[in-house]
Amino acid sequence: HNGALHCTDYTMRGLHASLKDRCNLYVYECGSKFGLVKALLIDQGRHNGEMLKFALIGGHGEKDSISMGGRAERDKVLISDLEGRGSSKAGSFFDKDSTIVLYSCSTGQEGGIAQKISEQLGVKVIAPESPTGMLFMDAIFNDGKMTIEARYGDTKEKGYKGGAQIEAKNDY
C-alpha cells in the first residue's frame, strides 16, 4: 500500500532465518490505521487469542505519525490516536515482553509516536530518530526468550519501554 517496506528483501530474509523455525512470521499489508486494527483482530481470531511477540510496522514516518497508505488523516496513525481508551486495549494483543519495530523515519524522536506507543501498550518499541533505511533485524533466542535487534542506516535507533527510553540493543 504505502511502499515503505519496498526493497527490504535482505532484511526480511535475515529476520526469517534468525527465527530458526522457533516462531511463525505473519505478514499483513494495511492501507490505513483501521486496516491495522482489523489485521490485529483477525490475527487474534486465527491464533486462538495467542499474544503477539513481535511486530514490524512500516510506513512513511514523522515524529508524530505513521502514514499507512494515502495522504488522508484516516490513512495515518497519529500520536493523538493513542490518547483514548481504545488504544490501550491494543496492548492486549501483545505479550508483555513483545517488541514493536517501527520501520518509519523519524518516529523514534523523544516525545514522538514510538515513545507514545510504548507507553500506551507497555511494550518495547524500537524506531529511528531521523529519515533512514533499515540495515537489518535479528531475532535472538536466549533461555527460551526472544529479543529483537534492529539497526537502521544513517541514524541512531531509539528504544522505549513503558514510555521510558531504554537502550535499543539485544537485552532490554
Side-chain angles (χ1 to χ4, degrees):
H1 283 289
N2 64 25
L5 297 178
H6 184 67
C7 297
T8 60
D9 186 53
Y10 173 79
T11 301
M12 294 305 288
R13 284 182 191 271
L15 174 64
H16 187 260
S18 71
L19 292 173
K20 302 175 185 132
D21 297 323
R22 295 184 189 196
C23 66
N24 295 321
L25 178 64
Y26 301 94
V27 178
Y28 299 96
E29 185 174 6
C30 308
S32 68
K33 57 186 158 192
F34 303 109
L36 178 61
V37 172
K38 184 178 177 181
L40 288 171
L41 290 170
I42 289 169
D43 188 73
Q44 286 289 289
R46 282 190 184 145
H47 307 295
N48 298 320
E50 185 178 329
M51 300 174 112
L52 297 172
K53 306 243 186 285
F54 165 70
L56 168 66
I57 299 175
H60 297 290
E62 296 180 26
K63 179 181 178 181
D64 296 333
S65 67
I66 302 169
S67 177
M68 304 297 290
R71 295 183 179 166
E73 192 167 306
R74 71 177 178 273
D75 300 327
K76 295 181 180 181
V77 178
L78 306 170
I79 200 166
S80 60
D81 293 332
L82 300 167
E83 302 289 328
R85 286 185 325 176
S87 66
S88 61
K89 288 183 182 180
S92 67
F93 295 129
F94 295 93
D95 182 87
K96 67 179 177 66
D97 294 321
S98 294
T99 300
I100 297 175
V101 175
L102 298 182
Y103 191 1
S104 303
C105 295
S106 306
T107 53
Q109 294 179 38
E110 190 170 340
I113 195 162
Q115 189 171 13
K116 189 65 174 180
I117 290 169
S118 84
E119 179 184 315
Q120 280 297 99
L121 304 185
V123 300
K124 299 169 225 167
V125 178
I126 302 170
E129 271 189 312
S130 61
T132 190
M134 175 138 336
L135 292 177
F136 72 90
M137 283 186 297
D138 256 338
I140 299 159
F141 293 89
N142 191 7
D143 294 329
K145 184 177 175 184
M146 179 179 74
T147 56
I148 299 293
E149 183 177 278
R151 292 291 178 257
Y152 301 92
D154 302 332
T155 190
K156 184 177 177 185
E157 49 277 327
K158 287 281 186 98
Y160 298 96
K161 170 83 178 184
Q165 188 172 340
I166 59 172
E167 283 201 48
K169 292 190 177 181
N170 291 352
D171 294 321
Y172 292 92

